[in-house]
Every structure is written in C-alpha cells, then in structure tokens.
Amino acid sequence: MTPAADGPYGSWPSPIDAALAASRDGRPEYLGVIGAEVWWTEPRPGEDGRRTLVRRPADGRAARSVLPAPWNVRSRLTEYGGLPWAGVERPDAGPLVVFVHHADQRLYACEPDAPAGPDPRPLTPSSPVGGGLRWADPILRGGEVWCVLEEFTGPAPTDVRRVAAAVPLDGSAAEARSAVRELTDDRHRFRTGPKLSPDGRRAAWLVWDHPRMPWDGTELQVADVTPDGRLGEPRTVLGGPTEAVAQVAWAEDGSLLAVSDRGGWWNPYRVDPEGGGGAVNLCPREEEFGGALWKPGLTWLAPLPDRLLAVLHGQGAARLGVLDPDSGDLVDAAGPWTAWQPTLAVSGTRVYGVAASPRSAYEVVELDTATGHTRVVGAHASDPVDPAHYPEPQTRTFAGPGGREVHAHVYPPHHPTRRAPADELPPYVVWAHGGPTDHVPPVLDLHIAYFTSRGIGVVEVNYGGSTGYGRAYRERLREQWGVVDVEDCAAVARALAAEGTADPDRLAIRGGSAGGWTAAASLAAGEPYACAAIIYPVLDLRGFAAETHDLESRYVDGLAGPPEVLALRCRERSPVARADRITAPFVLLQGLDDPVCPPAQAERLLAALRGRPVPHAYVTFEGEGHGFRRADTMVRALEAELSLYAQVFGITREDIPRLALNG
C-alpha cells in the first residue's frame, strides 16, 4: 500500500467514480420460490434502468436473468409499485410465471423453460401509458391470477378505484376488460392482494382509507372462498384507525399470522380468522418486526415448518431470526449482515432474504434453519475496488431539542493512502432520508463512499418520524413536518461541529423526495448549512396535496395538519413560501416525469427566487420519475452535487464537470 500522503479534505483521488456508484445502485427485491428455486427482481441501471427477473437453479448454478431487455418487471400501482410477479412449478412442464411489464403496465405470462424461450404473452388489456389499468401483488390460483387491480376513472391522479381481481390465465382478458372478475367491491381506497389459506378456503388482505397512511391504521380482513372461486363478505379481524397492521400471512397449520403495532411496536401476532378470539402477541418486545407498508408485497414474517417463523426484527435496522412462538425463543442468523430488507421467501427449511453490511452491498442470502448455515446465493458482485476505500459507519444517538433522542449513522472521511493536514476539519453533508416515514440502515452505499473516499464526511439522520424505533418515535413528526425533521438534522450537524468532528463552516444538507423538503426547509429556516443538494423534492405543501398521486394526496394531513390549517402551515414551513429567507447556494435535481413530486414543485421555488442573488443550479432529467434509475442520470447528478460542494467549500477538483451556478 502506498504511504499516506497529505491532501486537503475533499481533494483526495478515489477509484469510486460516479459511473461505478451508478452501476451498483439499487438492490434485489421481491424474493419468491418456484419449486426448489429462488427468484427475485434485480436492477439494471445500465439497461435504461429496467428491473429484470432472476432465477437461481436448485442445482446451485449461478443465478441468471429470465427476461432480456427491454422487459422491465415493475408495477406502478400507487406509483410506488408492489410485488410485480408470481410463479408456480408445473410437473413436467417447468415454471409458469406472470409479471407486470413497466412500459405498458399489462400483466404477462411466460414459460421460461419453453424450447422457444419465455415469449411473454399478455393477460390484460392495453391501456393509456401512465393511467388505465395497473396490477400488483399477484398469486396464482387454478386458472387465474388473483391480484390488486388499480383502475383510473378520470384525468386526476385521485380519480381511481382499487379492487381484488381475478385475471384468467388463458389470455381471454387481453382484449376484454370484461373478462376480469372483480373479487371485492371498491369501498376501501387501498388494499393488498389476497393471501390464500393452505386449504384454499379463506383469503386475507389489508385495507385502509384516506386520510390514513398504512402506518397510521389498517384493517386485516378475512373472507371465505366459495367453491366457485368467489369471495364472501369480508370481516375485519384486526386493526383499525390507530392500529397499523403491516403484513398478513397464513401458517402451514392454517393459523392466521399478522404484524401489528397495537402495543406501540410492530410485533408478530396469531389472529383468530373468525374475529372472535382476539390476537396473541407471539414475541412481545420493544423491537420492530415490521415497517412502513409503502407498497403491497413487503414481507417481514414468513412461516416455516414445525410452527417456526422467519422474522425480521430489531431497532433501527432489521436482522433475520427464527422465532419459536411456543417457547418465545428467537435465534438470529449468523453472518456479517447488519440490515435486511422486507422481503423473505421460504422453501422447506431454507429462508431467503436480502441483506447488506458496511462492507457488502445488498445480496440474496440463504439461511438453512436445519443447520444454521448461511451463504450468499445471488446478486453478489465482487468488490469493484479495494474495500479499504469503504467508510466505516458509526451508529450514534444525539441529543435533539428538549433532550429528545436523534438516531444517526456517521460516515467519516476515509481513504487508505490519503490524510488531511492535522489542523483541518472535514466538511460534512447531512443526508435526510425520504419518506419521511422510512429509515436508513448502516450499510455499504457507493453513493456515500463516493464522497467519503474523497474526504467529505456523511451523516445519515433518522430524524423524529422515522421508522425502526417504535410508534412513539414515528409520531414525533405528526403535524410537525418541516419542524422536527429540520431541528433533528441541525442538532446532529451542530453536535458534530461542536465536538470537533466536522468543520462548522463547511456543513451541507442533501435529500431526495421528503428529504428534499427537509433540505430546502433547512435553508429557509437559516440552519447551519453552507449549501444544499435538493433532489426531486416537496417544496409547497398545498401544491403537493393537490398535484401528487393518490396514495400521498392526504399524507400532509398527518404531516402538517388537516385541510383547514394547511394554508397557514404552508406559509409557516413551505420553502416556496419562505424563499426570501434562502441565501445559501443549492443544486436542484429533478426528473421531468415525476408523478409524485412533479416538476411544478421545483419550478415554483425557482420562480420565487427569481431576481434574488442566490447561487443555484436546476438540473433536469428527461424520462426519469421519482427516484433516478438510469446510470447516466446518476452520474450527472453525483458529479453536479460534488461540484457544488467543491465550489462552496473551496475544494479544487479538476476531474468533474463544473456545475454552473446562476444568481
């Protein structure tokens, strides 16, 4: 290794360039098993940002993509999507797979082992791009696909209905919407797909309605399945306006399982499917065994043989464990992984999940519960650079206003062969996560390493309102969006400066979506930042409520207040309304096809700043929606962000394009 050399923070050379970070963006999702094989979806940033379907053969051969480009296995249900595929093993015929293709949102069927190849054929009719019909959370039942149907009934994003539906596998609905059977009515605004009991005689699902979000309150409903394949009248057996049921599943013995936060934490319960016997907490702990149900098909719990349960649990970050509900014993899987995503699949005694650590990106992991052995079985890529360039996160708790706890992960600048002068403190960027009802775990992220390996520190803040720390911590943000999140991020930044970890004159904040709101609101509040990166943000509360998609059209009721106080809260907190207070430079990165935070949000802020000497740049991306997916987009965005920091922090870099700042 080359001896350490002096160089100012932010100026260090790094093998982790923007192209490399972009190529490793995203993670495996939506695990499932077909026979003895494990399948999942996987991102392809270099293939126009599509997601492909991957299978790992049971004989241990390497996992491979099932569908070539341009097939893109991704649903747009409620814009965020949901489980987009299902499959079943057929004796002597190989697997039959159904999936949603992103480009047209039609449901397709394919036979991957057919001599002529998959050759997907449509099962549902075509509809206008961006509207019409959408499908998610499918299961296969006989000659039908049971799933959630989202149907737009008018031009507004809230002109929509959702039902459970049955799509024939024979293709008869490909040209006729009338061939799709509706299994439920549309009295509930939102729902997950039906889950069938092992004997096929019952189905269970979750529903909720405006103005609640699924982490506020949901209902677990059960209905009998008639011999002719219809659903009887549903009965609510768990949940309500102040109880969030995050998942439902059936055990092999026919018992009904659910994850509920009725005790203040998402814990696993056994539920009476008739509704009369209540619910029994199978592992009462001040830990989360569930999370925010942003899209249907997320799984934190999966039944195993012998009444055991595979569960994801913990505070802040989830780990995989095996729970014996009879004894209460909970044994965690061995291995280096520090965070697991909410997707689990089971085949016999084997559990499959998606996990990461500070030294490894998200990969598919197998746990053999019979032996306790764990191994990586998919999506693992060899280290593209020497791992000595990776940062080592420090999970810490800071004191916020009033002494309240604020959770964060600190990533100090790190390089194996560079060091800064002894009298220099490093610049730091506060990362505010999106959601805001979400959280970030301490795992390897090359977007973070892109900055830390150059000498710029990063701190990810799980501000009040984040998931992972119980309902009370989540509720801190109720009607306080733009206050608690801003204060908590600032408290962490100031603490790092006060203790001598960060340079107080070189602090920045960045965030996307809800994190973009926090970043912009922080500038308007005069918090201690020299600049900001604001990415596909919310910037105007009233405009967001009127313009965003249906799922989040009433989100601001809980975040800022009901409609009767929204105008006042908008004047008090929205960056657009407080643009006259913004003086620090910023870069605003926006996808032009974003249905969640439309470009109109960004354009209002720019209009409010017109004529004021605030250095800024507005960088837009054709064809990108909410969350950048294309490699070239991510490269440009990362380099623009680094250029902003270099200019504001006084760092010399000749290896990136210079971002032109107006104002």
Side-chain angles (χ1 to χ4, degrees), residues 436-601:
T437 312
D438 205 344
H439 76 281
V440 284
V443 297
L444 178 63
D445 181 343
L446 290 189
H447 290 249
I448 292 177
Y450 176 77
F451 294 104
T452 57
S453 62
R454 286 166 169 77
I456 298 174
V458 170
V459 55
E460 293 189 298
V461 181
N462 283 322
Y463 48 80
S466 300
T467 57
Y469 306 97
R471 184 159 188 141
Y473 195 84
R474 243 171 35 238
E475 292 285 343
R476 286 186 189 176
L477 205 59
R478 182 162 295 279
E479 298 194 17
Q480 294 298 307
W481 197 32
V483 178
V484 166
D485 50 324
V486 169
E487 291 177 346
D488 285 0
C489 287
V492 171
R494 289 194 177 101
L496 292 176
E499 70 186 25
T501 297
D503 184 341
D505 296 322
R506 295 194 293 174
L507 297 171
I509 186 168
R510 72 98 81 169
S513 189
W517 158 274
T518 302
S522 295
L523 293 191
E527 294 298 354
Y529 307 110
C531 61
I534 304 167
I535 308 168
Y536 41 83
V538 178
L539 297 170
D540 170 21
L541 284 174
R542 295 179 72 186
F544 177 73
E547 297 161 352
T548 193
H549 61 144
D550 187 47
L551 176 66
E552 294 184 86
S553 62
R554 299 293 301 275
Y555 197 4
V556 293
D557 286 35
L559 292 174
E564 57 267 24
V565 303
L566 190 56
L568 173 62
R569 298 286 164 77
C570 188
R571 291 194 299 271
E572 293 174 341
R573 302 179 194 171
S574 288
V576 167
R578 292 158 58 87
D580 60 319
R581 300 173 182 235
I582 296 177
T583 59
F586 65 88
V587 60
L588 181 51
L589 306 170
Q590 178 69 49
L592 293 180
D593 294 341
D594 191 337
V596 178
C597 296
Q601 291 276 308

Side-chain angles (χ1 to χ4, degrees), residues 57-142:
D59 61 11
R61 285 175 292 155
R64 66 181 188 275
S65 175
V66 173
L67 297 166
W71 292 107
N72 187 353
V73 184
R74 181 175 153 226
S75 170
R76 283 188 60 185
L77 188 96
T78 70
E79 297 301 348
Y80 288 130
L83 177 66
W85 74 277
V88 64
E89 182 69 26
R90 300 171 301 167
D92 303 320
L96 172 67
V97 174
V98 298
F99 68 93
V100 178
H101 178 44
H102 181 259
D104 58 13
Q105 287 300 291
R106 299 176 83 178
L107 195 63
Y108 287 80
C110 71
E111 301 177 42
D113 292 346
D119 191 23
R121 55 184 175 84
L123 299 179
T124 56
S126 60
S127 58
V129 175
L133 308 174
R134 298 177 183 177
W135 318 83
D137 210 9
I139 58 172
L140 291 167
R141 180 188 181 275

Side-chain angles (χ1 to χ4, degrees), residues 269-296:
Y269 287 81
R270 181 174 288 114
V271 183
D272 179 2
E274 298 300 327
V280 177
N281 192 334
L282 301 178
C283 192
R285 293 190 180 195
E286 289 190 349
E287 291 186 8
E288 301 283 45
F289 289 72
L293 186 64
W294 276 103
K295 43 195 179 181

Side-chain angles (χ1 to χ4, degrees), residues 27 71 174 177 190 194 196-197 212 228 244 250 286 291 316 417 423 459 467 505 524 569 582 613 637 655 662:
R27 58 178 177 256
W71 292 107
R177 163 68 176 83
F190 303 99
L196 290 172
S197 61
R212 285 177 282 152
D228 61 351
W250 294 94
E286 289 190 349
T417 64
D423 59 352
V459 55
T467 57
D505 296 322
R569 298 286 164 77
I582 296 177
D655 56 345
N662 303 311

Side-chain angles (χ1 to χ4, degrees), residues 210-381:
H210 283 318
R212 285 177 282 152
M213 297 298 284
W215 42 86
D216 296 325
T218 59
E219 298 173 20
L220 167 53
Q221 295 191 328
V222 178
D224 296 328
V225 180
T226 64
D228 61 351
R230 301 183 183 277
L231 293 178
E233 182 66 20
R235 51 193 177 273
T236 297
V237 300
L238 193 68
T242 59
E243 178 184 355
V245 183
Q247 186 195 342
V248 59
W250 294 94
E252 287 189 348
D253 63 2
S255 59
L256 185 61
L257 304 169
V259 178
S260 167
D261 72 346
R262 58 170 36 198
W265 297 80
W266 273 304
N267 281 182
Y269 287 81
R270 181 174 288 114
V271 183
D272 179 2
E274 298 300 327
V280 177
N281 192 334
L282 301 178
C283 192
R285 293 190 180 195
E286 289 190 349
E287 291 186 8
E288 301 283 45
F289 289 72
L293 186 64
W294 276 103
K295 43 195 179 181
L298 303 182
T299 53
W300 294 267
L301 172 152
L304 287 159
D306 300 323
R307 293 175 56 86
L308 300 177
L309 302 176
V311 294
L312 302 179
H313 70 105
Q315 284 196 31
R319 55 191 182 273
L320 173 65
V322 176
L323 171 66
D324 182 340
D326 296 324
S327 67
D329 291 341
L330 178 56
V331 180
D332 288 338
W337 305 283
T338 55
W340 294 72
Q341 285 297 306
T343 178
L344 293 173
V346 169
S347 177
T349 61
R350 299 178 188 272
V351 181
Y352 298 94
V354 174
S357 77
R359 293 284 165 173
S360 59
Y362 283 103
E363 52 200 0
V364 180
V365 178
E366 176 193 82
L367 164 65
D368 186 339
T369 60
T371 64
H373 178 68
T374 56
R375 60 173 179 161
V376 176
V377 297
H380 175 78

